[in-house]
Amino acid sequence: MALPHLRVLLLGDLIGTPGRKLVRRLLPALRRQYAADLVVANGENSAGGRGITIASAEDMVAAGVDVITTGNHVWRHQDVRGGFDRLPLVRPINYPAGAPGQGWRTVAVGDARVTVVNAQGRTFMEALDNPFAALDRFLAQPPGDLGAVVVDFHAEATSEKRAFGWYLDGRVAAVVGTHTHVPTADAQIQPGGTAYVTDLGMCGSRRSVIGMAVEASVERFVTLRPTRYAVAEEGPFELDAVLVEIDRATGRGVSIRRVDRLDD
């Protein structure tokens, strides 16, 4: 008999090879421990710390990730454009018409369905289409039975993320923020039944500046001169995530909790 709640494990941005290796090490046990029905991870920094490739996406799938969301670096590597047809990749739904891939993916979870939607904010980022209006259109004319809807909102400003969460309250099961790579402590169930957190965090080196090597990052702020960023390779490594439970009958979020791990 199916449990009354769907369990979705959502991982913060994977940062380069260290992030992918970390997820390979820890995800199988996490999935068993929390009986996760679906694993979603943001992979837009999985290739060299910026962008995603077919190879890095395949690595994430092999590690046990079911759906890969992205963001503003999705097109940095050209080969990923050919991966949307055969890999569980999602790009922001508010990119202009004609962009490769699509902004959502519906997955069968036993006798239930979960639709993962990716949207990108506009404050301090590229001027894409309005994400609020994009979700309005998507929810008003859904492409089939969506089941429970989980949204990865890839955005810079915490205020825009918070506003987006309130805007969708009661209309989707969960809104989780990505992009800033710093886990936030505001996981909550909103009054309308939407699970929310401002940022999932990241999967990468803790001895870093949001996943990148400390020395080059500090030099850039001290000197105001361009420096070449590199992915931080030194441990310990952190895996930042949340577990969202969704009522199968109503499609509403019923709980959300942080699932963060530190690995030497």
Side-chain angles (χ1 to χ4, degrees):
M1 179 181 295
L3 296 175
H5 297 159
L6 292 165
R7 293 185 164 204
V8 182
L9 184 65
L10 298 116
L11 309 183
D13 303 48
L14 274 70
I15 312 299
T17 301
R20 301 199 314 272
K21 287 183 176 179
L22 178 67
V23 170
R24 284 203 302 269
R25 286 198 302 274
L26 300 187
L27 181 55
L30 282 174
R31 186 160 199 164
R32 289 192 300 271
Q33 178 181 352
Y34 292 103
D37 297 295
L38 187 71
V39 176
V40 181
N42 188 287
E44 76 133 12
N45 296 293
S46 60
R50 184 172 291 186
I52 184 170
T53 61
I54 289 177
S56 70
E58 289 176 337
D59 198 9
M60 295 171 67
V61 171
V65 175
D66 298 306
V67 180
I68 303 169
T69 55
T70 56
N72 57 305
H73 295 312
V74 62
W75 311 124
R76 187 170 185 86
H77 302 288
Q78 295 293 319
D79 83 320
V80 76
R81 301 184 183 197
F84 282 91
D85 291 338
R86 61 184 182 86
L87 289 166
L89 287 166
V90 185
R91 50 87 173 159
I93 195 171
N94 51 324
Y95 265 103
Q102 59 188 20
W104 70 92
R105 187 174 187 87
T106 301
V107 180
V109 182
D111 60 354
R113 296 166 72 85
V114 177
T115 297
V116 179
V117 182
N118 198 184
Q120 184 171 313
R122 300 192 296 179
T123 305
F124 310 126
M125 300 183 77
E126 293 91 344
L128 299 187
D129 294 343
N130 187 332
F132 294 79
L135 263 293
D136 280 343
R137 291 191 296 270
F138 179 74
L139 295 173
Q141 296 183 310
D145 178 13
L146 301 179
V149 178
V150 175
V151 182
D152 173 346
F153 189 42
H154 197 76
E156 181 78 24
T158 55
S159 56
E160 187 178 15
K161 292 179 182 180
R162 200 69 192 93
F164 200 67
W166 284 119
Y167 189 70
L168 293 177
D169 186 27
R171 303 165 65 193
V172 301
V175 175
V176 298
T178 57
H179 179 67
T180 58
H181 303 185
V182 177
T184 59
D186 60 341
Q188 62 191 266
I189 298 296
Q190 300 182 148
T194 294
Y196 173 85
V197 68
T198 296
D199 204 281
L200 294 175
M202 69 171 189
C203 300
S205 170
R206 175 160 286 187
R207 191 192 182 283
S208 72
V209 176
I210 61 172
M212 309 308 284
V214 170
E215 293 75 16
S217 300
V218 171
E219 180 183 348
R220 188 179 186 117
F221 284 104
V222 171
T223 68
L224 299 182
R225 294 192 297 268
T227 56
R228 183 181 294 276
Y229 285 130
V231 174
E233 303 280 350
E234 183 179 344
F237 300 95
E238 63 180 270
L239 181 150
D240 300 328
V242 300
L243 182 74
V244 173
E245 293 192 55
I246 302 168
D247 187 284
R248 288 175 179 269
T250 65
R252 293 187 175 185
V254 295
S255 76
I256 179 171
R257 54 175 159 160
R258 292 218 61 97
V259 177
D260 300 329
R261 295 291 186 270
L262 191 63
D263 182 68
D264 291 332

